[in-house]
Amino acid sequence: MAAEKKWWKEGIVYQIYPRSFNDTSGNGIGDLRGIIEKLDYIKSIGVDIIWLNPIYKSPNDDNGYDISDYQNIMSEFGTMADFDELLYGMHNRGLKLIMDLVVNHSSDEHEWFQQSKSSRDNEYRDYYHWWPAEKGTPPKRWSYFDVNSDAWKYDEQTDSYYLHYFSQKQPDLKWENPKLRSEIYKMMAFWFEKGIDGFRMDVIPFISKDTSYPELPADAQPEDFVAFYANGPKLHNYLREMNDRVLSQYDVMTVGEAPGIAVDHALDFVDEDRKELNMFFHFDLMTLDRDPDELFTMNKDGWKLSEFKKIHTKWDKAFANKGWGSMFLSNHDFPRSVSRWGNDDPEFWRNSATLLQTFLLTMRGTPYFYYGDEIGMTNIRFNSIEEYRDINTINKYKQLQNQGKDFDAFIENEKDAARDNARTPMQWDESTFAGFSTTKPWISVNQNYKSGVTVKAQEDDKYSVLNYFRKMCAIRKSNEALIYGEYKLIDETNEQVYAYTRSLEDDCFLILLNFSTDSVIYTLPSDINYNAAKLIVSNDRIKDDKTYKEFLLLPYQAIVYKLL
Ligand code: GLC
């Protein structure tokens, strides 16, 4: 049975990292007016929903994921009037807006934290997690960005430690306090009343904590902590309460970022009857090429296509009858998709970028693209630590320095793994700084803007990555089977070709994706019944074989057929 129809199942999402999208104020940092200026472009590529990374007031320890005022705009990005104009401009063009909701933690510069740390009996004390020093050292908690990976920070003022799963400037909010929860729901309603269409919820499974702060096994690894953080005792009570008090009052979409959530818990979040969230991003794919013992070490090319298929097939199945999936290959926390899952060698770049687009646009689940994916932007691969801006890379480097460890290997790894790979300025044209800004941008521009990786260069080229993206978006939107249809994997073990069908009622599409640098003659198993195959789209030239059983696939070729 096909899923119930919803706008957020049919929409294609385009994620914008505002800092890197378009600078109109001339300070080297993208801004809201920069997005306004590009709305016609965004509309023209065929996406429907824009997800903006945080634009709230922030000291930018973690580029906006450390919020000091949830109801104001970051000064570098503009003003609330700019925001209102942006939202109006989107709605006017039929585009929806989803914002980032970052409520596992705030900035330490938020008024709540300033109050909370001022004294033990301050009325905001219980908005954060404190451990009084007279109880001794708190039980070990691991932190993502801390130089010592220590999630407790001692604060002299009240002789206590506070908890921060991320940086020291991102203290964790205490959801166990109902007053805090009410403040958050009020803030969410403020944005919904303005008319936004939903939230992407930052590390949402982390919000519930066991406030007895139990000791964890002494040999716990980062991934054990992540799993512990993501499965707090009251998580689903809070999500249901949030749904009841705010989300249910509006026609909006929600997508949680869900590190640490395994597939067998998927429906706990998105089963419609539970009234929690609509979708979430799982992390199974994002850890596929990571070293299992070292969460942050990239094992480039250390993944197999059969595993890639297995992950997507498993997650598709989880939502086959209930809930709904979300499909993504990259975002602001991971390297560029074409460099990671495709091949950014000039010989294979175009085909692999368009193959990945074909993949996301022919799978079940809402597809999420990251700005620049539509033109095939690639990893920048910085050579030295001075070029990095991300606290994650910088603090890990400092940690290695403190431990006297080898950081050359780390820098080498970061070329493939670092988040900054995906945060370089959008490449608009071939003018200085790729048309992103008139001044030196906050982070370097990828030099391949000089060789065709720009919107301008690709606009008029019929065969460009950009125009393929446009075509593919239109194909998805005009074929319901590609949205709601059943997904069936054809050949699990093939390490070069990912083949599957999508079918709904009388329509059946066959998708063939050659994930390899070889030309492959792919033979379909005989149990797939059809008389002919009508070509819908291909990212390369095609040799039609009238038997419709053997298909020649060029390196990274993607072909979609309709089976008749
Ligand atoms: C999420 C965000 C990431 C941020 C972290 C802390 O993982 O996507 O960018 O650094 O949460 O807020």
Side-chain angles (χ1 to χ4, degrees):
M1 195 191 71
E4 192 194 339
K5 292 186 184 175
K6 293 276 182 198
W7 63 265
W8 45 264
K9 295 181 182 171
E10 296 172 15
I12 299 168
V13 183
Y14 186 70
Q15 180 192 348
I16 294 181
Y17 200 65
R19 213 176 179 72
S20 302
F21 196 62
N22 185 26
D23 171 24
T24 55
S25 67
N27 62 355
I29 297 174
D31 44 51
L32 299 186
R33 303 216 67 82
I35 304 173
I36 295 173
E37 197 176 273
K38 298 295 183 186
L39 285 178
D40 284 336
Y41 164 75
I42 296 169
K43 178 73 186 173
S44 83
I45 64 177
V47 297
D48 312 279
I49 302 166
I50 296 179
W51 154 24
L52 284 188
N53 286 102
I55 56 167
Y56 317 95
K57 196 159 185 276
S58 163
N60 283 308
D61 193 48
D62 183 21
N63 287 356
Y65 281 94
D66 48 319
I67 297 168
S68 54
D69 182 347
Y70 287 96
Q71 287 173 218
N72 264 309
I73 303 294
M74 192 190 297
S75 47
E76 291 97 316
F77 289 174
T79 63
M80 194 57 93
D82 295 333
F83 174 83
D84 292 338
E85 195 180 320
L86 174 64
L87 183 59
Y88 179 82
M90 287 186 194
H91 285 168
N92 223 354
R93 289 169 177 81
L95 295 166
K96 306 254 190 199
L97 172 65
I98 65 171
M99 305 258 286
D100 223 301
L101 182 76
V102 189
V103 288
N104 172 68
H105 44 270
S106 73
S107 163
D108 65 337
E109 296 183 30
H110 194 292
E111 175 65 21
W112 296 338
F113 190 72
Q114 291 299 312
Q115 295 279 347
S116 184
K117 70 181 271 197
S118 67
S119 81
R120 286 191 182 190
D121 51 20
N122 184 282
E123 58 172 318
Y124 290 91
R125 183 66 170 180
D126 235 15
Y127 273 43
Y128 295 88
H129 297 266
W130 290 99
W131 177 275
E134 63 273 17
K135 282 172 69 181
T137 320
K140 180 170 165 48
R141 291 292 180 269
W142 172 83
S143 159
Y144 280 86
F145 302 152
D146 189 73
V147 176
N148 301 314
S149 304
D150 182 359
W152 291 105
K153 161 97 173 128
Y154 178 70
D155 194 61
E156 233 168 41
Q157 207 166 350
T158 57
D159 189 30
S160 307
Y161 298 81
Y162 67 84
L163 188 66
H164 62 92
Y165 284 175
F166 294 89
S167 89
Q168 293 184 356
K169 287 182 67 64
Q170 293 170 295
D172 283 44
L173 288 161
K174 193 168 178 185
W175 276 70
E176 289 65 31
N177 179 352
K179 263 168 72 187
L180 180 264
R181 299 204 300 276
S182 291
E183 298 249 27
I184 289 175
Y185 304 150
K186 231 167 60 197
M187 174 273 283
M188 292 170 72
F190 165 84
W191 289 103
F192 286 137
E193 290 299 323
K194 274 190 170 287
I196 71 159
D197 304 288
F199 279 117
R200 172 267 185 188
M201 302 186 179
D202 193 58
V203 291
I204 200 69
F206 290 9
I207 57 177
S208 160
K209 279 139 185 134
D210 179 343
T211 50
S212 68
Y213 312 109
E215 287 289 350
L216 296 177
D219 58 353
Q221 298 300 308
E223 54 270 36
D224 302 321
F225 281 102
V226 172
F228 174 76
Y229 293 171
N231 292 285
K234 294 273 182 62
L235 173 59
H236 294 286
N237 303 52
Y238 300 155
L239 291 177
R240 271 197 295 272
E241 182 184 75
M242 179 198 279
N243 189 302
D244 178 49
R245 303 239 316 247
V246 212
L247 301 172
S248 58
Q249 319 292 316
Y250 304 90
D251 175 22
V252 291
M253 69 169 256
T254 51
V255 53
E257 184 204 25
I261 300 302
V263 71
D264 39 335
H265 290 289
L267 288 179
D268 296 351
F269 292 80
V270 299
D271 175 343
E272 296 80 359
D273 299 336
R274 289 174 57 96
K275 301 197 182 332
E276 296 191 17
L277 303 179
N278 298 139
M279 293 173 269
F280 69 80
F281 300 120
H282 69 77
F283 273 59
D284 281 8
L285 184 68
M286 294 298 123
T287 46
L288 176 63
D289 55 358
R290 298 289 162 113
D291 190 322
D293 302 321
E294 268 294 334
L295 203 53
F296 299 99
T297 306
M298 178 70 96
N299 194 359
K300 181 136 169 66
D301 305 325
W303 59 279
K304 287 199 196 139
L305 186 63
S306 56
E307 295 166 335
F308 184 96
K309 296 180 198 180
K310 199 166 167 187
I311 289 172
H312 289 107
T313 306
K314 173 174 90 176
W315 281 90
D316 178 83
K317 189 165 165 222
F319 304 127
N321 300 314
K322 287 190 147 199
W324 188 252
S326 46
M327 293 292 305
F328 74 108
L329 294 169
S330 57
N331 61 35
H332 63 293
D333 289 332
F334 296 98
R336 282 280 170 188
S337 60
V338 64
S339 302
R340 189 179 187 187
W341 308 114
N343 189 326
D344 61 15
D345 184 291
E347 192 182 345
F348 303 114
W349 165 78
R350 184 196 168 279
N351 272 18
S352 66
T354 47
L355 170 137
L356 296 173
Q357 294 172 351
T358 314
F359 170 64
L360 285 187
L361 290 166
T362 54
M363 287 291 285
R364 180 153 57 177
T366 299
Y368 291 75
F369 289 92
Y370 185 56
Y371 83 92
D373 284 349
E374 76 276 26
I375 55 166
M377 280 175 62
T378 63
N379 284 352
I380 190 159
R381 301 174 65 86
F382 286 134
N383 284 314
S384 78
I385 190 70
E386 286 71 37
E387 296 183 89
Y388 281 100
R389 300 290 173 266
D390 179 12
I391 183 172
N392 185 39
T393 300
I394 295 171
N395 282 3
K396 291 216 162 50
Y397 185 87
K398 286 188 188 151
Q399 184 173 73
L400 293 173
Q401 234 171 1
N402 294 344
Q403 297 168 344
K405 288 203 182 142
D406 171 16
F407 33 78
D408 289 346
F410 173 73
I411 290 294
E412 217 30 54
N413 177 68
E414 287 297 276
K415 288 182 183 173
D416 296 318
R419 309 198 295 181
D420 276 346
N421 277 309
R423 296 178 178 186
T424 62
M426 176 67 180
Q427 296 165 204
W428 295 104
D429 59 40
E430 288 178 23
S431 63
T432 333
F433 310 124
F436 162 75
S437 174
T438 48
T439 358
K440 192 170 178 321
W442 70 278
I443 189 168
S444 301
V445 181
N446 191 317
Q447 291 305 299
N448 62 13
Y449 79 92
K450 294 174 185 156
S451 43
V453 190
T454 64
V455 171
K456 178 106 188 298
Q458 296 187 23
E459 273 292 355
D460 302 326
D461 172 1
K462 202 168 138 205
Y463 299 104
S464 66
V465 176
L466 176 62
N467 282 323
Y468 184 87
F469 181 77
R470 286 190 166 117
K471 196 194 296 180
M472 217 33 249
C473 285
I475 291 172
R476 180 178 180 90
K477 280 196 264 179
S478 51
N479 290 290
E480 260 191 15
L482 293 178
I483 299 169
Y484 293 108
E486 189 193 344
Y487 156 91
K488 218 155 136 201
L489 176 64
I490 291 179
D491 181 351
E492 318 175 9
T493 53
N494 191 313
E495 295 295 356
Q496 292 184 303
V497 177
Y498 191 169
Y500 49 95
T501 54
R502 295 294 312 283
S503 42
L504 184 72
E505 292 159 11
D506 293 338
D507 286 344
C508 180
F509 290 87
L510 169 69
I511 294 97
L512 301 173
L513 307 170
N514 178 4
F515 271 79
S516 83
T517 55
D518 302 327
S519 289
V520 177
I521 295 183
Y522 184 70
T523 312
L524 271 186
S526 55
D527 58 345
I528 302 183
N529 292 319
Y530 57 94
N531 299 318
K534 178 180 160 212
L535 178 68
I536 301 296
V537 70
S538 166
N539 66 352
D540 207 330
R541 74 206 133 79
I542 198 149
K543 188 169 153 271
D544 251 333
D545 174 331
K546 300 296 177 214
T547 68
Y548 305 114
K549 284 288 173 199
E550 277 194 352
F551 300 89
L552 169 67
L553 298 171
L554 299 171
Y556 291 103
Q557 184 160 21
I559 313 181
V560 180
Y561 286 104
K562 190 167 184 181
L563 300 182
L564 305 169

